[in-house]
Amino acid sequence: MEHEVFVPVQAERLREALADPVRVARAVPGLQQDAGTPPVSGRLKVRVGGHTITYRGTVRVTARDDGSYAVEGDATEARGPGTVKLALALTLTPSEGGTTVTITGTTTADGRVADLPPDAVSATTGRLLNRFVENLAEVPETPQGAAEREPDRETEPEKPEPEIAQEPEAEVEPAPEAEPAALFEEEEPAPPAPSRVNREDAVAEAAHARRTMIGRSAEEVDHAPPRGRYAPVPAPETADARATLRWAAPAAAVALASAIAVTRALRKRR
């Protein structure tokens, strides 16, 4: 396999990123790191054509004496016996406006990916390599690496703070002294205590008034008509009763007059 990727950054920046395992792990597209594992290890979902395969493995990046980098990795399918092994070499070549990264090596795989079309596998591999190199050029430095390369700043001597002239304190006039209180104050005379006779009369009057009020209340309750929900409901007046009263009075008057006239006629005959 041979593949080339151009990135608009200097080769020195890519070398610094390849030397930092944390930045390499961030550059791998879709890598999900597991807790307690090396930096460049974890799970990776790969989409080949219309299929998605999840691998779990590790990648190692080593610098060579000739300036290139060796990339070795091995992974196994999360749900299957398939495996993938790769041995790649990365060569950084400075060019106008950036750096050209040449990737050469071999990749062996078996399992589900071996049953897929070779063109789809090659297209997926090229896409992953392009995104890996582009992410490697864009990944920011770790705080630890940035602190190591930050030049020591010369500490400037602290400038003495200017002294602020203190204003003289204003004279405070003493408060006028309060007049001394009288040594002996006259006590108010206490009200006279009620006599025993007056107290007994008051108790007797209160008891008589209470008995009178209780008796009146009981009498009123006994003779008063019930009220509220216990009050009797008057019978409803119907229209027939009113109509009967209208003609009953005239009829009674006519009957009475007829009886009087008959009585008088009988008396005259006798």
Side-chain angles (χ1 to χ4, degrees):
M1 178 182 61
E2 185 174 353
H3 189 75
E4 290 186 357
V5 184
F6 174 81
V7 289
V9 296
Q10 299 296 328
E12 188 63 25
R13 181 174 177 179
L14 292 177
R15 296 183 188 277
E16 294 175 358
L18 290 171
D20 189 353
V22 177
R23 298 177 65 181
V24 173
R26 294 179 181 176
V28 177
L31 178 64
Q32 299 179 359
Q33 297 183 3
D34 297 333
T37 58
V40 193
S41 62
R43 295 182 299 170
L44 178 64
K45 290 186 178 181
V46 181
R47 186 174 183 82
V48 182
H51 303 270
T52 302
I53 307 174
T54 303
Y55 290 96
R56 185 187 300 273
T58 306
V59 177
R60 295 171 297 277
V61 180
T62 307
R64 295 179 177 177
D65 297 338
D66 57 355
S68 61
Y69 293 86
V71 180
E72 298 178 354
D74 58 295
T76 58
E77 293 182 7
R79 298 181 180 180
T83 59
V84 175
K85 295 183 180 181
L86 56 89
L88 305 178
L90 275 65
T91 304
L92 309 182
T93 304
S95 58
E96 184 179 359
T99 305
T100 301
V101 181
T102 304
I103 304 172
T104 58
T106 58
T107 304
T108 58
D110 56 10
R112 295 178 57 188
V113 71
D115 300 335
L116 300 177
D119 296 340
V121 175
S122 299
T124 301
T125 304
R127 184 173 64 253
L128 289 176
L129 293 175
N130 290 341
R131 293 180 59 186
F132 170 71
V133 177
E134 292 173 358
N135 294 342
L136 198 65
E138 296 178 358
V139 169
E141 293 182 335
T142 57
Q144 182 177 1
E148 293 177 355
R149 281 180 289 275
E150 185 178 0
D152 297 336
R153 298 181 181 178
E154 297 181 359
T155 57
E156 299 180 358
E158 298 181 358
K159 297 180 180 180
E161 297 181 358
E163 297 182 357
I164 301 175
Q166 298 181 356
E167 298 180 358
E169 298 181 357
E171 297 181 358
V172 180
E173 297 181 358
E177 296 182 358
E179 297 181 358
L183 296 179
F184 301 97
E185 296 182 356
E186 297 180 357
E187 296 183 357
E188 296 181 358
S195 61
R196 183 175 181 182
V197 177
N198 296 338
R199 185 180 304 173
E200 292 179 355
D201 294 344
V203 172
E205 291 179 0
H208 176 70
R210 182 165 56 254
R211 287 194 300 271
T212 305
M213 293 176 63
I214 294 174
R216 289 180 181 179
S217 300
E219 184 179 0
E220 291 177 358
V221 170
D222 293 340
H223 297 281
R227 298 179 181 180
R229 59 178 180 176
Y230 300 103
V233 179
E237 297 181 359
T238 60
D240 296 341
R242 294 180 181 178
T244 303
L245 293 176
R246 289 179 182 178
W247 62 262
V254 172
L256 180 61
S258 300
I260 294 172
V262 171
T263 303
R264 290 180 180 179
L266 293 176
R267 287 180 180 179
K268 288 180 179 182
R269 288 182 181 181
R270 290 178 183 177

